[in-house]
Amino acid sequence: MAVLRVRGFALPSGEPVDLYADGDRWTSDPVAGADLVAEGWIVPGLVDAHTHPGASDPGRPLDAGILREDLRAHLASGVTLIRAPGLAGDPPDWFGRSDDSPRALHAGPWIAQQGQFFDGWGRRPATADLPAVAAEQAARTGWAKVVIDWLADDDVMPVAVLRAAVARVHAVGGRLAVHSQHAAGGRVAVEAGVDSLEHGMGLDPELLPRMAARGIALTPTLSGITESLRRINADPERARTSWYVPGASAHGRLTAAAVEAGVTVLAGTDSRPHGQITREVRALVAAGVSPHEAIAAASWTARSYLGLPGLQEGAPADAVVFDADPRTDLGQLDKPRAVIVRGKLFTGGRPA
């Protein structure tokens, strides 16, 4: 198999680079006969940090065929790493490893309180057992995901229970993500010291400095929330009575404030169809996040948070190459010149 070569200007620094894929590792040492596959602006492989591939609708079982197509859609958009904080079932062995799949981290099935979340999805242990269930999951896959609030009149998970789950997950070397869409849930998440807050709608902005200090990431899934808000607002009567509207209306401002406060913000799409990470980047920019920081949330910042370096010597050989700097032309994100994952060129079906 030919060694791939890319050259141009590497983000985030913008410095010129000439890189060779030595198997699944980047090197700057020249390789004779390497195949120069692209020149331009080189971005570390994109990341979707909140996606749930593999099921056609909420509550439906994991389907291996749907999963494979969803993952190919991610790759086609330049996403070479995903984090799935919740899946409809345990994924097959090829998930995150096959040539037509991005690298992948996952939290297994969701863990929710009894009587909450989508029917048919996730686990609902007794409250006393929840920390142990989360720790068991994290010990197997590195992450666990807990739904700590759901509908507006549902009970929020007690902070003592969530704090115990954090401690148990950290004790096995894992990390804990939590779903929250209400102010009370966001406060519990920050008080408990979770690793990442998913959605975070309704979060009190006064908690942002504390999140930054504790290293709690925010994955706002802003494009999905904005689209849900648009649909609700299309019906004035529904908009007048919906609990969703106040938090969703402020969510863009909250996200921009989180970046300003130094919170690690991660780009995640949440909903179908897959392969829409550029839509999330645009939503971040529309909310007031700079293009540099918005792309970082979908690339180098997210990779670093999830444990993968960017375009440096010895780093995993993932990259997306564009004709021009996407920070000055977001339209570039829709037309990558080349997508490289594991040192192989993705051509739309399988890497070449």
Side-chain angles (χ1 to χ4, degrees), residues 7 26 78 119 142 163:
R7 66 186 178 195
W26 288 123
D119 291 339
R163 189 177 285 125

Side-chain angles (χ1 to χ4, degrees), residues 56-113:
S56 58
D57 294 289
R60 300 289 294 172
L62 190 74
D63 181 289
I66 293 174
L67 179 63
R68 192 175 289 280
E69 290 305 310
D70 290 344
L71 296 174
R72 286 174 177 164
H74 278 300
L75 272 180
S77 72
V79 168
T80 64
L81 171 65
I82 67 167
R83 181 187 58 156
L87 287 170
D90 288 321
D93 290 343
W94 55 261
F95 176 72
R97 297 184 175 90
S98 70
D99 285 347
D100 57 352
S101 170
R103 304 177 196 271
L105 304 169
H106 74 91
W110 295 263
I111 303 168
Q113 298 186 94

